[in-house]
Amino acid sequence: MERLDSRHWRIENGSHHVRDTTFAEDASRIRKNPDIAARLRSFAYNLLRAHGSENIKNARWRAALDLDFLLDIIAKY
């Protein structure tokens, strides 16, 4: 049971760290329905991971500048 709990927190902390540093989640000033914005950030994070992106920050930047890359990500899912 302890091993399972440890694994959960490793995943949780890793995901939170990426979302906080890449999406500035802790600095978000959204006060109305913040859960919707958090879900959208998680959705974007999961799409980029499923696409095979190792560096989420660079993948977000590339998707913002390269429409073909963004459409490639969206088209697969």
Side-chain angles (χ1 to χ4, degrees):
M1 185 69 171
E2 187 176 312
R3 197 176 83 210
L4 217 122
D5 191 46
S6 172
R7 208 176 319 156
H8 165 76
W9 283 111
R10 184 175 52 229
I11 293 168
E12 178 69 24
N13 289 338
S15 172
H16 178 75
H17 175 73
V18 171
R19 287 189 353 221
D20 184 33
T21 57
T22 304
F23 294 97
E25 195 169 68
D26 286 348
S28 174
R29 297 183 49 89
I30 296 172
R31 298 296 177 245
K32 291 186 179 181
N33 300 322
D35 55 323
I36 294 172
R39 288 180 189 193
L40 288 172
R41 287 188 289 265
S42 292
F43 182 65
Y45 170 78
N46 289 330
L47 278 177
L48 292 170
R49 280 285 182 224
H51 185 260
S53 300
E54 293 291 324
N55 188 322
I56 299 298
K57 182 180 178 181
N58 289 344
R60 281 186 65 213
W61 182 253
R62 183 174 173 201
L65 299 177
D66 185 356
L67 183 60
D68 291 330
F69 180 69
L70 176 61
L71 292 175
D72 183 47
I73 293 170
I74 295 171
K76 288 185 178 182
Y77 310 99

